[in-house]
Amino acid sequence: MSDLEIVRSISELRAAITGWRRDGQTVALVPTMGALHDAHMALMHEARSRADRVVATIFVNPTQFAADEDLDSYPRHEAADIEKLQTDGVDLLFAPEASEVYPDGFATTITVTGVSEGLCGDHRPGHFAGVATVVTKLLLQALPDIALFGEKDYQQLQVIHRLSRDLNIPVEILGVPTVREPDGLAMSSRNLHLSKAERDVAPQMYRTLMDVAARLRNGIGSEAACAAGRVQLAENGFSPVEYLEVRDAETLAQPLSGHSRRVLSAAWLGETRLIDSIPLP
Ligand code: PAF
């Protein structure tokens, strides 16, 4: 159990971090939207192993949700989240109100071209601009030594790598491998929305990605392997299947031979949109 300090304003966040820096301590930042689960706690543990101080943020960022998306129903469990952060020895929680992040007159949007396009970018217009804007703000507000993000949101991670390089933000961005339930389902706050029947089917997304990887290993071409994967998802009740594709692991463009690759998918189970991806050796 730690003495978790909870702050709601940017000035308090900066004051705490400035104090630590004055004492020569390093700082890791873990941005989240709350509803914390084991995958978030894996980020906190990794952060703890890499810096003297760990700062978590909880902010359900409205600008990354389209009007017809699940902003209102996004799970919010602040009291339980605080308990988890305390138990895990996180030093500080920054949990601002929307008006602190987006005060009246706010008019700036960070748009990352290329890597934001295609995949989730095609199906969630404006989503990555919202993510890029809030993450840029959080990085500049905290100016940590390192910021950690899960590889589960793989396209988001590549967008954040790109913006931090392009804007010369002096923060190391670290992707942490996806944490899975024992049956393979990638941990996600949205899994809470799955019915019992949907939860039983949900691990099929990971199995399908593994099957695509196996087909590729057996010499089947990526078009055919992905087409078979999309059919497999549909047969298991995923509808619609938004995409299942092999991409360059860094640029997310069509893969070039000799580059590392990743297979990525997004599909709906009932009212819940699931995404997952795995690296290809
Ligand atoms: O991955 C998330 O939880 C969010 O997209 C992030 C990075 C905290 C930005 O709101």
Side-chain angles (χ1 to χ4, degrees):
M1 244 352 178
S2 72
D3 290 332
L4 176 73
E5 189 181 347
I6 301 172
V7 299
R8 310 257 173 207
S9 70
I10 298 160
S11 57
E12 291 169 300
L13 171 74
R14 286 201 168 128
I17 293 178
T18 305
W20 294 332
R21 290 227 172 276
R22 211 180 292 124
D23 296 341
Q25 300 187 48
T26 54
V27 178
L29 183 77
V30 184
T32 81
M33 297 206 300
L36 302 179
H37 47 65
D38 287 356
H40 293 114
M41 300 333 279
L43 294 176
M44 308 294 165
H45 291 162
E46 189 65 38
R48 168 61 67 213
S49 74
R50 288 169 183 269
D52 301 317
R53 296 288 185 168
V54 177
V55 177
T57 75
I58 294 181
F59 179 60
V60 183
N61 173 36
T63 65
Q64 67 190 74
F65 291 80
D68 60 346
E69 290 186 341
D70 56 349
L71 173 63
D72 292 338
S73 62
Y74 197 85
R76 289 165 173 84
H77 304 153
E78 195 184 83
D81 289 346
I82 288 173
E83 224 169 276
K84 287 183 184 153
L85 295 174
Q86 271 166 340
T87 308
D88 257 63
V90 169
D91 296 286
L92 186 134
L93 168 63
F94 176 47
E97 295 294 333
S99 56
E100 179 71 3
V101 181
Y102 300 113
D104 281 349
F106 188 86
T108 300
T109 300
I110 304 291
T111 306
V112 181
T113 57
V115 72
S116 290
E117 292 155 14
L119 305 173
C120 290
D122 279 351
H123 296 274
R124 302 190 67 188
H127 170 68
F128 287 120
V131 169
T133 303
V134 80
V135 170
T136 302
K137 283 173 68 74
L138 291 169
L139 294 177
L140 295 176
Q141 286 158 3
L143 277 181
D145 297 277
I146 184 168
L148 297 92
F149 300 86
E151 283 187 351
K152 165 162 173 291
D153 295 298
Y154 192 79
Q155 189 173 12
Q156 163 176 286
L157 174 63
Q158 298 314 313
V159 169
I160 294 167
H161 273 302
R162 188 73 263 161
L163 73 85
S164 74
R165 280 184 216 128
D166 289 353
L167 300 177
N168 307 108
I169 301 176
V171 175
E172 180 190 350
I173 304 297
L174 184 74
V176 175
T178 305
V179 180
R180 298 183 181 280
E181 303 286 357
D183 59 11
L185 176 64
M187 287 191 188
S188 163
S189 306
R190 289 195 170 92
N191 294 349
L192 293 171
H193 295 317
L194 296 169
S195 68
K196 163 85 179 71
E198 290 162 355
R199 175 64 189 80
D200 289 346
V201 171
Q204 289 299 333
M205 177 170 271
Y206 178 55
R207 273 172 225 152
T208 301
L209 294 173
M210 300 288 277
D211 288 347
V212 170
R215 284 186 202 107
L216 293 167
R217 271 198 308 278
N218 291 336
I220 296 177
S222 69
E223 265 312 308
C226 290
R230 288 191 286 271
V231 169
Q232 200 174 329
L233 284 175
E235 283 174 353
N236 276 295
F238 288 82
S239 175
V241 177
E242 289 185 351
Y243 62 81
L244 189 158
E245 292 189 35
V246 174
R247 291 295 181 97
D248 181 287
E250 190 179 329
T251 63
L252 299 183
Q254 295 303 332
L256 298 170
S257 64
H259 285 222
S260 60
R261 297 177 304 161
R262 198 164 179 105
V263 53
L264 309 100
S265 185
W268 289 78
L269 262 185
E271 299 294 301
T272 309
R273 182 175 185 273
L274 299 180
I275 62 172
D276 201 354
S277 66
I278 58 171
L280 294 171

